[in-house]
Every structure is written in C-alpha cells, then in structure tokens.
Amino acid sequence: MGGGRGRAAGVRVEFTVNGRPRSAENVWPGESLLYVLRERMGLWGTKNACEQGECGSCSVYMDGELVCACLVAGGQAGGTEIITVEGLSGDGGLHPIQQAYITEGAVQCGFCTPGLVVATHQLLHANPDPSEDEIREALAGNLCRCTGYEKIISAVRAAATEMTAG
Amino acid sequence: MVEVNFAQRRPPALLDLSHLSEPKGWRRRNGAVELGAGVTYTRIINELGAELPALAIASRTVGSPQIRNRGTVGGNLATASPAGDAHPPLLATGATVRAESMRGVREIPIGEFFLGPKQSALEPDELIRSVSVPVARGPQQFSKVGTRNAMVIAVVSFAIALDLGRRSIGTGIGSAGPTPLEGSEAADYLNRELTGGGYWEEHRPLPRGVVDRFSELVASAADPIDDVRGVARYRTHALRVMSRRTLTWAWEAAGEGRPA
Ligand SMILES: Cc1cc2nc3c(=O)[nH]c(=O)nc-3n(C[C@H](O)[C@H](O)[C@H](O)COP(=O)(O)OP(=O)(O)OC[C@H]3O[C@@H](n4cnc5c(N)ncnc54)[C@H](O)[C@@H]3O)c2cc1C
Ligand code: FES
Ligand code: FES
C-alpha cells in the first residue's frame, strides 16, 4: 500500500531524519511518510500496523510534534525535521525510556513498543512527573494488544524517576 | 490519508495546505476569533480555552494526541460528518464559515453549512479559509458519549453556549441525524422562558419543568438512526441526559460568575 509503483510523476522529497539530511526520489504524492521512512530509508523501527491513525505504532516527531507517520503524506514532510525511535538515544545505546520498558516487563511481542517509546518521550519532555491519569491520556493513541497497559504505565513512571534523577 | 492508504481513493494530485501560514493562525476581530482553517485541535486546546470554551472542550475529545496535533477544524468542516466534534460548538455559538475560491470570498452561516451526510455548502472549487467564532460571553459546555474515553467517534454529542451579553442561548447536536443539528426549537423555547421569567436579570435556579421540557425538545430535534455505534433510542435518551446536565452546569456557572 502507498507504493509508488506504476506512477510516473514522483517528486523528490528532502527532510531531516534524526539530525541527518535525507532525501527520497520519485515519491508518489499519496505515499505516506511511514512508507518513505520504512521502505525507502530502511528505518524499520517505526512500525506499520493499521495505516489509519488508530494504533500509534508509527508515532514519530515531526517538527517537535508527535504525529502518526501513516497520516502524513510523504511530500508534506518536505523540509521538516523528523525524529524516529532510532534517533532517541544519540549514542546507539538504549534511552532510559527503552531501558525502563525492558526492566518493567512492558514489552511482550514488542510491536507497539517503538511508538509507545516515542509517545512516552514526548510526554516526559512536556511533563517530567506525570500522574497516572496524565500518562493514560498521553498514551491514549497507542494501542497494545499484549500487556494490558499496567506494565507500560509502570515503565513510564520508572523512566520519569530515572530521568529526573539523572 | 486513510482513504489513500487503503487505496479507496487515488487522487491524481494532492494539494498540501499545511505549509500555508495564514490559515494556520488565529486572531481576534470584532468580538470573534477568526480561526484559520489549518489551526490544529492541540492549538485550540492550548491557546483558546478562554475565548472558545465549547470548541476547546470538544477538541480535547478528538482522537488522540497524535490526531489532535494534525487534525484541524477546517478539515472537520470540509468532511461535514454528522459526528464531527467541532460542529456542535460551532452551531451553538453561531459561527460563520469563510469560503474562498477564484471567484471570491463568501460567508456561510454555520446553520446553512451542513446539507447532508458528508455534504456541505462548499462548491467544488471552494476552500475554507477560516471560521469566525464569537468570543464566549458566558459559560459553554460540550458533552460527548463514546464507547471509550479516547479515539472514539461520537455516538452522540451536544454543545450549549450561554451568551450573557445578548441574553440568549445556543445549542448544537452531533451524531443524531443526517447532519449536525442546531436544535433551534429547544433553544427558542429556553430563550422565551429565560426572558419571560426574568432569569437574565435575576439569576436563580431553573425550575425542573423548564429543564425537562428543554431536554425533551433537544431529544425530539434529533433524527437518529440505528448503526454500529448505537441505536436510535439510546441516542435520544443520551441527548435528554446530556442536554439536562450541560444546561444545569452552564446555568450554575453563570450564577457563580464562572466561565464554565
Ligand atoms: C484515528 C482517527 C481518529 C479520529 N477521531 C476523530 C474524533 O474523535 N472526532 C472527530 O471529529 N474527528 C475525528 N477524526 C477525523 C479527522 O481527524 C477530523 O475530521 C479532522 O478534523 C480532519 O482534519 P484534517 O485537517 O486532518 O483534514 P484532512 O484529513 O487533511 O482533510 C479532510 C478533508 O477535508 C478537505 N479539506 C481539508 N482542509 C480543507 C480546507 N481548508 N478547505 C476545504 N477542504 C478542506 C480535504 O480535502 C479532505 O477531503 C479522526 C480521524 C482519525 C484518523
Ligand atoms: S500505523 Fe499509523 S497509527 Fe497505526
Ligand atoms: S507488546 Fe504486543 S502489542 Fe504491545
């Protein structure tokens, strides 16, 4: 879905991904940012699950705002700054949020995890010490079919403690 | 974009309005907020809670943070879904849509904007530039019933706006008919009672009978259907409850001089 096959009139799209300038050739205007990231740039951390904005697996930052990459047309991303889950920990190690998800047992199949990690990152950036209600509200756009969410909430709390301490 | 992802639509071209700066802003003009079509729900929540309380409350109920960061009132209006969450507040406050084409600009009162399910008064060559929403002059409320707290299309929704300046109230009903509805019979009834009874001059609790009659008229304005999200009888019942509650909250807030 969303592929450019058989379409002649593609465009060149340039934007910044995780701090590096990237570009893609021959992008069909209806192709999603999610498709461009995964299929053209090989950034498979951002997951494709529903392609309709319902599950949050494809959450990325676009110019500092949390968005569903499946709902952004590739062309619309031109000139913007995208940060994906791969870009959260600068040094190639794990970000404290990723570590907290592992430590707290908040990862089962793991398909929802990258999107949740990015959404958690956004939440803790805006609100370093969120209440449970605030966590639930902030993560309402991210579905998880495995964990039942309790451990995810524990992970967010653990990450918040770790990050405010460090 | 969802329709494009699922290949239900293959538009020959897409027109990206999100990089235009003017529709992305809002400004106050003549007692109204002129809200650019591209202002997102997140910005309405963060920036316009005091000026446009009902629209801000409704915006908080849209989708998820990710959806609110991208979705706009312009897109909601152009879609013209009977369930669009911006519509009841815009109806209750008497907003005006500014549509623009090569032929010029025209103003469409919100009451004349919704023509049928997903059909609006926009001509094929017209875009929405902005919507002008009167700044609140009294308490406003919005209420929405869904199957969970987030990510739900309204089963039914209701907005009420008290205008203490003009001494009138406005209402808007969502997801209970082929289009969003004004509920003007209910609003007219309440306006007559409030004016006739001198309630604007001297604030006191509304008699139970008036509140009940108002909520009956709201419920009977609706023309709901049975669908996957709810049956008509449930929608009518919920409307009765929501209109009674939101009127009571707003009227109490007015008595205490609170905004909502
Ligand atoms: C997961 C999910 C959850 C959602 N939840 C809700 C919800 O809770 N409540 C709700 O009301 N809606 C909801 N929506 C629907 C949608 O997000 C809203 O209707 C939103 O307001 C659309 O705005 P947009 O800017 O994204 O429009 P787009 O999707 O970009 O556009 C929608 C349509 O309007 C047209 N259009 C856009 N701007 C203009 C303009 N200025 N002039 C003329 N035509 C224009 C476009 O061509 C297109 O046909 C949801 C959608 C998704 C995917
Ligand atoms: S894949 Fe984008 S929200 Fe599910
Ligand atoms: S861990 Fe499997 S969907 Fe969340």
Side-chain angles (χ1 to χ4, degrees):
Chain A
M1 277 174 244
R5 290 168 297 276
R7 294 262 156 187
V11 293
R12 180 184 165 84
V13 180
E14 296 178 19
F15 50 91
T16 309
V17 185
N18 300 329
R20 286 176 47 206
R22 302 284 298 254
S23 64
E25 302 290 340
N26 218 11
V27 172
W28 175 61
E31 193 172 311
S32 71
L33 171 62
L34 176 61
Y35 186 92
V36 174
L37 289 172
R38 286 179 59 87
E39 311 303 331
R40 293 176 179 274
M41 298 180 174
L43 290 163
W44 295 296
T46 307
K47 297 298 177 216
N48 177 350
C50 72
E51 290 198 293
Q52 49 182 312
E54 296 275 351
C55 76
S57 307
C58 64
S59 299
V60 298
Y61 282 103
M62 178 167 160
D63 285 341
E65 283 192 331
L66 191 69
V67 303
C68 293
C70 70
L71 295 183
V72 177
Q76 278 183 308
T80 67
E81 236 174 272
I82 304 294
I83 296 174
T84 69
V85 68
E86 289 94 342
L88 293 185
S89 68
D91 56 7
L94 289 181
H95 188 278
I97 295 171
Q98 291 168 310
Q99 187 57 55
Y101 269 73
I102 297 172
T103 311
E104 297 297 317
V107 183
Q108 288 189 25
C109 81
F111 209 81
C112 67
T113 311
L116 272 160
V117 165
V118 179
T120 303
H121 189 273
Q122 198 281 329
L123 165 65
L124 296 183
H125 179 74
N127 181 358
D129 184 22
S131 67
E132 172 156 348
D133 282 350
E134 286 166 338
I135 297 172
R136 286 182 182 275
E137 180 72 30
L139 302 184
N142 293 76
L143 297 183
C144 173
R145 298 297 300 270
C146 303
T147 65
Y149 301 102
E150 292 300 329
K151 307 235 164 172
I152 290 172
I153 290 164
S154 313
V156 178
R157 282 225 190 81
T161 309
E162 172 71 22
M163 286 164 71
T164 40
Chain B
M1 199 59 210
V2 173
E3 289 172 9
V4 175
N5 282 345
F6 285 85
Q8 286 158 358
R9 282 214 290 188
R10 279 280 183 254
L14 290 181
L15 194 59
D16 182 11
L17 306 175
S18 66
H19 290 297
L20 303 178
S21 61
E22 195 185 336
K24 277 196 147 168
W26 62 267
R27 56 184 178 152
R28 275 187 80 140
R29 212 177 57 165
N30 305 332
V33 169
E34 192 163 327
L35 187 68
V39 179
T40 61
Y41 296 111
T42 300
R43 286 192 57 199
I44 294 171
I45 296 166
N46 292 340
E47 299 169 26
L48 289 165
E51 284 87 352
L52 312 178
L55 188 61
I57 300 172
S59 299
R60 261 181 229 125
T61 76
V62 172
S64 64
Q66 289 91 327
I67 300 296
R68 295 193 287 272
N69 283 343
R70 294 285 298 166
T72 66
V73 170
N76 211 221
L77 279 168
T79 309
S81 158
D85 286 322
H87 308 151
L90 295 179
L91 287 164
T93 53
T96 308
V97 179
R98 294 187 72 210
E100 190 164 348
S101 67
M102 298 294 282
R103 296 171 287 124
V105 182
R106 100 189 143 104
E107 307 212 321
I108 311 171
I110 191 75
E112 297 165 21
F113 186 78
F114 303 107
L115 301 183
K118 305 213 170 172
Q119 274 176 6
S120 74
L122 282 184
E123 299 291 341
D125 63 343
E126 279 181 321
L127 289 174
I128 300 169
R129 168 173 285 272
S130 62
V131 51
S132 171
V133 193
V135 172
R137 290 192 294 182
Q140 300 183 352
Q141 278 292 345
F142 172 82
S143 176
K144 165 175 168 181
V145 174
T147 44
R148 63 182 271 238
N149 270 347
M151 285 300 224
V152 287
I153 302 175
V155 173
V156 62
S157 61
F158 182 74
I160 187 165
L162 265 57
D163 185 337
L164 303 178
R166 278 181 47 206
R167 297 186 165 176
S168 70
I169 76 132
T171 53
I173 305 170
S175 244
T179 66
L181 303 162
E182 282 184 289
S184 17
E185 235 183 279
D188 290 348
Y189 163 77
L190 191 57
N191 280 322
R192 278 196 308 275
E193 290 293 325
L194 292 175
T195 304
Y199 285 92
W200 295 112
E201 290 79 13
E202 191 202 337
H203 191 280
R204 58 214 132 95
L206 296 176
R208 180 72 199 226
V210 171
V211 178
D212 282 350
R213 180 82 191 122
F214 170 71
S215 66
E216 277 310 321
L217 287 169
V218 169
S220 63
D223 181 14
I225 53 167
D226 295 337
D227 69 10
V228 288
R229 281 179 275 131
V231 295
R233 206 160 58 85
Y234 175 77
R235 289 190 155 105
T236 312
H237 175 72
L239 264 183
R240 221 174 269 130
V241 175
M242 291 156 86
S243 53
R244 195 190 304 139
R245 279 190 195 154
T246 51
L247 170 59
T248 309
W249 292 334
W251 189 250
E252 277 173 9
E256 294 163 17
R258 284 185 286 119

